[in-house]
Amino acid sequence: MLKTLLLSMLIIAICIALMAVKLIFQKNGKFDSMHIHDSDAMKKRGIHCVVDQDKEARKQNKAY
């Protein structure tokens, strides 16, 4: 039981360290935004997040 727990903690620690590589080694490193409104590809296609679409629909009285 203890062996399994230690192995699990080691795997989790390695995963966290690998995810933080970009943050640690890049100057001003940060995670990229995962929001739809921050994606250039989505903007080009005219795709908005559901919150923005809801606001637009409510302004036009088309929120059904």
Side-chain angles (χ1 to χ4, degrees):
M1 174 79 179
L2 183 62
K3 186 177 179 180
T4 305
L5 180 63
L6 291 175
L7 182 62
S8 300
M9 289 176 58
L10 177 66
I11 291 171
I12 291 171
I14 291 170
C15 291
I16 290 172
L18 290 174
M19 287 191 309
V21 166
K22 184 176 181 180
L23 296 174
I24 295 170
F25 293 112
Q26 264 190 349
K27 186 176 182 178
N28 297 328
K30 61 181 179 179
F31 288 115
D32 296 330
S33 175
M34 299 301 289
H35 293 279
I36 291 175
H37 66 268
D38 292 333
S39 172
D40 291 332
M42 294 293 185
K43 287 180 185 178
K44 288 178 185 175
R45 292 183 178 101
I47 299 173
H48 309 285
C49 80
V50 70
V51 175
D52 294 337
Q53 288 177 348
D54 185 53
K55 286 179 185 177
E56 291 173 9
R58 288 179 187 269
K59 285 181 183 177
Q60 298 172 359
N61 288 331
K62 294 182 180 180
Y64 298 115

